[in-house]
Amino acid sequence: MKQKRFLLEESELPREWYNIQAEMPTKPMPAIHPATRQPLGVDDLAHIFPRECCVQELDAEHAWIPIPDEVLEKYKYYRSTPLVRAYALEEALGTPAHIYYKNESACPLGSHKINSALPQCYYAKQEGTTNVTTETGAGQWGAALSYAASVYGLEAAVYQVKISMQQKPYRSSIMRTFGAAVTGSPSMSTRAGKDIITRDPRHSGSLGTAISEAIELATTTPGCKYTLGSVLNHVALHQTIIGLEAERQMQMAGEYPDVVIACFGGGSNFGGIAFPFMRHKLSGEKQTEFIAAEPESCPKLTRGVFRYDFGDEAGYTPLLPMFTLGHGFKPANIHAGGLRYHGAGVIVSQLLKDGLMRGVDIPQIETFEAGLLFARTEGIIPAPESSHAIAATIREAEKCRQTGESKVILFNLSGHGLIDMTAYEQYLNGDLVNYEISDDEIAKNLE
Ligand SMILES: *Cc1c(COP(=O)(O)O)cnc(C)c1O
């Protein structure tokens, strides 16, 4: 019998996260304060985020950051997640490639987001915070944060993009199940929200409006901190638990990946699986290829430019050096809501600039074709975001079929799609479309 599934014993779980910043050949350029134009320090961020997260955000010195015991205890409820050899998918593709996936859909709430929600809430609790707030679009991050807040006895307030709240009603029920207060954004509960509604009474909300409201709540409420589910360095740091486990599990399988693939929104699940393997490329031991799969309709890695830009629509955040389509970019309404973000995290942007990884952009319909094949072969319905990684994997496996090479491909299954069935329904009914974007449109946004 061929072994399909690899799990770690509790005693084998990683006890440190990997901070790639410390070992990058070119360190990321600093985030800049929009008013003073000076590089940001911990004190510029600590009124918004838990202080320990700010320290981690700016740490370019320590390669290994201990996971607090209290977080490790919570990780043990669900980690390790399985590493699976996708024999059935390989067979369906007729490829000599060996395909493995790290199954983060087995995490509580069904995606990798909980891996960072737990430490962020833990650090908030440690410093005496009583409340946490955040924004959410499709709801994966909001759900993970709501659960993590309840684990550490914090009150959570989540601003959810109003249109998503209406289109995907069960997402807010999930957050409320864990005790979070959920408000549709824009709302009348903040100044930013009131201003937006005054200007446009029928505004249906965006991540930009929700971020603005959550930051305002955090900075005007004593004992309240803001949390973010992607893009920032400390979030990718927490997610390296994925790749560190996968490295040990690949050893159990007796293989090492030639290609590592993940879908790309802000970069947290990509960094999570890729960075631990990339350290062996940085040291010259391995030649692994790293591929980040983004939507054709939101192609910041493949068609964006590298420059300083804001992280949000309103321009409240620091200026970040990143690959971006412009902070005013309005991505098409694809079903992979978690990938509809205009910019890439600072670390990944530098790695891309240095040629240590590459991006690939994939049309929506191809991602659903890939998702369906994966569901039918491996028995897991993938999140529309994760289907981008599957589609990129299938492209690589197809190349192997043509050349006869038996490469080892590892991809991250960032989440399951059981709360995305309206998207599958549309695909199955033949109602789904692709959204191409012209060079002119991209150029106009970057002006
Ligand atoms: C949020 C999300 C993503 C995208 O975010 P990253 O920070 O780029 O990982 C991908 N997949 C799932 C399932 C998500 O919930």
Side-chain angles (χ1 to χ4, degrees), residues 253-274:
E255 304 218 70
Y256 192 90
D258 298 303
V259 189
V260 175
I261 298 175
C263 68
F264 196 96
S268 78
N269 93 91
F270 173 81
I273 194 152

Side-chain angles (χ1 to χ4, degrees), residues 319-343:
L319 284 161
L320 302 170
M322 59 185 185
F323 276 91
T324 178
L325 295 163
H327 63 276
F329 183 76
K330 291 199 175 46
N333 197 14
I334 54 167
H335 287 289
L339 309 186
R340 295 175 69 232
Y341 185 70
H342 67 274

Side-chain angles (χ1 to χ4, degrees), residues 179-246:
V182 185
T183 308
S185 174
S187 78
M188 294 298 281
S189 70
T190 62
R191 252 197 81 156
K194 276 183 207 154
D195 285 350
I196 294 161
I197 292 173
T198 309
R199 279 199 308 273
D200 179 2
R202 294 171 59 190
H203 199 298
S204 58
S206 67
L207 276 178
T209 67
I211 292 177
S212 304
E213 290 202 87
I215 292 184
E216 183 180 322
L217 184 74
T219 50
T220 56
T221 312
C224 181
K225 286 288 163 80
Y226 172 69
T227 63
L228 194 63
S230 183
V231 184
L232 296 176
N233 302 342
H234 68 270
V235 184
L237 172 75
H238 303 152
Q239 295 295 353
T240 58
I241 187 81
I242 303 173
L244 292 166
E245 283 181 3

Side-chain angles (χ1 to χ4, degrees), residues 314-387:
Y316 281 7
T317 69
L319 284 161
L320 302 170
M322 59 185 185
F323 276 91
T324 178
L325 295 163
H327 63 276
F329 183 76
K330 291 199 175 46
N333 197 14
I334 54 167
H335 287 289
L339 309 186
R340 295 175 69 232
Y341 185 70
H342 67 274
V346 167
I347 294 175
V348 169
S349 293
Q350 188 62 51
L351 295 170
L352 181 65
K353 205 160 164 254
D354 288 347
L356 287 157
M357 55 173 281
R358 66 185 166 91
V360 59
D361 60 324
I362 303 190
Q364 174 159 259
I365 292 176
E366 184 180 338
T367 67
F368 274 84
E369 285 164 0
L372 222 72
L373 179 64
F374 184 79
R376 289 175 184 179
T377 48
E378 297 296 319
I380 301 173
I381 297 182
E385 290 87 355
S386 315
S387 292

Side-chain angles (χ1 to χ4, degrees), residues 19 58 66 84 101 154 172 188 234 370 402 419 427:
N19 178 22
L58 301 176
V84 186
Y101 61 93
L154 298 165
S172 56
M188 294 298 281
H234 68 270
Q402 284 161 9
I419 43 175
Y427 170 73

